[in-house]
Amino acid sequence: MGILLSILKIIGILLLAVLGILLFLLLLLLFVPICYRGNLSYYGGKLLADGRISYCGPLLRGTFDYTMNSPVKYRFKVLWFTLFHDAKNSSELAQDVEDTAKKVVSDTEDVVEDTFPDTQDELEDTVKDTEDAEEESIPYTEDVENDIVSSPKSSKKQRNTFRLPDFGAKLKEKARHIRTGCKQFYSQFRETRDKAALLYKLWKTETTRRAIRKVKAQLGMVLRHWKPRKISGRLHYGFSDPADTGEVLGAISMFYAVIGPRFQIQPDFEEVCLEGELHIKGHICLVFLAVAALRIVLNQSIKKTIQRFRKITGGN
């Protein structure tokens, strides 16, 4: 009995340890943020971009680098070990593809030479033998021609025995199919119209409006916490028409509260130009997404709206 209790005690301790590890990993995933930063620049018609993402400091890291007209360079590491990265550049990949294509073409030519005749004489002999065989298989004699000319009566009998198709029955069948198709179309149209009316009525209900407001509020909460904490940069632009430059400046000014004072906008009303740079930095915490999803799932208005929508559309 004591041995059995000891075994159960050990099993319980192991289960608690496993549950504790899983709980620790879950909390780590929810509360430890994923940090990100990115840089973008455009000067002299050349676009440059790079970014970095990390989780738990040096535990998980990923970087990428892009230059216009060049392949993207990326690397992902776990501690000091590289999981995957860009193995080859575009020139090496193009050379490998070209070598493989040449090898396939060479092998195909060898197979064709071994399988088919090599000389033009053999091809001409083959064609000539085929033509002779066709001439022998279809002989033409005067007797056959006389038989064809001297048989007008038989052809007249065949013409007399020819009967016109029953167009009336075919027309009736076509009309029946058209009538059935029209009935089915009208039935489907009426069903779709009724569903559309019910969906519009559901859209106008106060329950649906409360559900939409709840979803918008939760998505806004997630985006507020996920948006970049720091935005800085510079934009220097200009168009041939100064009025267009002013309109674009007015449109950008609408987002001034989002981009912040560290982003400089320099419109040029005299020259046509476009250059600038952008730097962002922030973090993503999954606990806000989990909280928003839990609130949406437990909301009664959202539940009722989904149930009514499924009932109208015939979903399960």
Side-chain angles (χ1 to χ4, degrees), residues 23-36:
L23 181 61
F24 173 75
L25 293 177
L26 179 61
L27 295 176
L28 192 68
L29 180 65
L30 290 177
F31 289 97
V32 176
I34 302 172
C35 301
Y36 65 89

Side-chain angles (χ1 to χ4, degrees), residues 11 17 41 51 58 63 75 87 100 108 112 122 133 141 143 172 190-191 214 220 231 235 249 258 262 285-286 288:
I11 293 174
S41 63
T63 59
R75 186 179 297 272
T100 304
T108 306
V112 171
E122 293 180 356
T141 59
D143 296 335
K172 290 180 180 179
R190 186 172 57 184
E191 183 179 356
K214 188 67 174 180
I231 301 177
L235 177 62
L249 179 61
V258 178
R262 295 185 178 182
C285 203
L286 297 180
F288 298 106

Side-chain angles (χ1 to χ4, degrees), residues 250-300:
I252 296 176
S253 301
M254 297 172 60
F255 302 95
Y256 184 78
V258 178
I259 60 180
R262 295 185 178 182
F263 192 86
Q264 300 177 0
I265 303 173
Q266 300 174 354
D268 195 331
F269 294 93
E270 297 179 356
E271 297 181 358
V272 178
C273 59
L274 178 61
E275 60 182 13
E277 59 186 48
L278 176 66
H279 310 282
I280 62 173
K281 184 178 179 181
H283 63 266
I284 298 173
C285 203
L286 297 180
V287 66
F288 298 106
L289 180 62
V291 171
L294 187 63
R295 289 176 179 175
I296 290 174
V297 170
L298 297 179
N299 187 266
Q300 295 297 325

Side-chain angles (χ1 to χ4, degrees), residues 69-182:
N69 300 326
S70 298
V72 178
K73 298 179 181 179
Y74 57 89
R75 186 179 297 272
F76 188 80
K77 287 185 176 182
V78 176
L79 292 177
W80 300 276
F81 304 98
T82 302
L83 290 184
F84 54 87
H85 61 91
D86 51 327
K88 295 183 178 181
N89 54 30
S90 58
S91 60
E92 294 176 351
L93 291 174
Q95 185 64 32
D96 293 343
V97 172
E98 185 178 356
D99 295 340
T100 304
K102 289 181 179 180
K103 185 177 180 181
V104 171
V105 171
S106 178
D107 295 341
T108 306
E109 290 178 353
D110 294 339
V111 172
V112 171
E113 290 178 358
D114 295 338
T115 306
F116 299 98
D118 298 334
T119 62
Q120 186 69 22
D121 297 336
E122 293 180 356
L123 290 173
E124 292 178 357
D125 294 340
T126 304
V127 173
K128 186 175 180 181
D129 295 340
T130 305
E131 292 176 353
D132 296 340
E134 290 179 354
E135 291 178 358
E136 293 177 358
S137 61
I138 308 176
Y140 180 79
T141 59
E142 295 181 356
D143 296 335
V144 175
E145 183 179 1
N146 295 330
D147 293 338
I148 294 174
V149 174
S150 62
S151 58
K153 296 182 178 180
S154 60
S155 61
K156 186 182 293 185
K157 291 181 179 180
Q158 291 179 357
R159 288 197 299 268
N160 293 333
T161 57
F162 179 75
R163 293 182 179 179
L164 293 174
D166 192 357
F167 290 105
K170 289 186 177 181
L171 289 175
K172 290 180 180 179
E173 186 69 19
K174 290 288 184 181
R176 187 176 64 82
H177 285 302
I178 292 173
R179 185 170 60 253
T180 304
C182 291

Side-chain angles (χ1 to χ4, degrees), residues 200-212:
Y200 181 76
K201 185 177 179 180
L202 176 64
W203 175 262
K204 290 295 185 179
T205 58
E206 184 62 27
T207 304
T208 304
R209 296 300 176 88
R210 286 198 300 266
I212 293 174

Side-chain angles (χ1 to χ4, degrees), residues 227-253:
K227 71 178 182 180
R229 302 290 178 176
K230 294 181 179 180
I231 301 177
S232 61
R234 170 180 173 270
L235 177 62
H236 181 209
Y237 74 96
F239 298 98
S240 58
D241 189 357
D244 296 337
T245 305
E247 290 180 358
V248 172
L249 179 61
I252 296 176
S253 301

Side-chain angles (χ1 to χ4, degrees), residues 41-59:
S41 63
Y42 184 79
Y43 289 102
K46 188 175 183 180
L47 180 65
L48 301 175
D50 64 88
R52 175 186 175 89
I53 186 171
S54 61
Y55 180 72
C56 290
L59 180 61

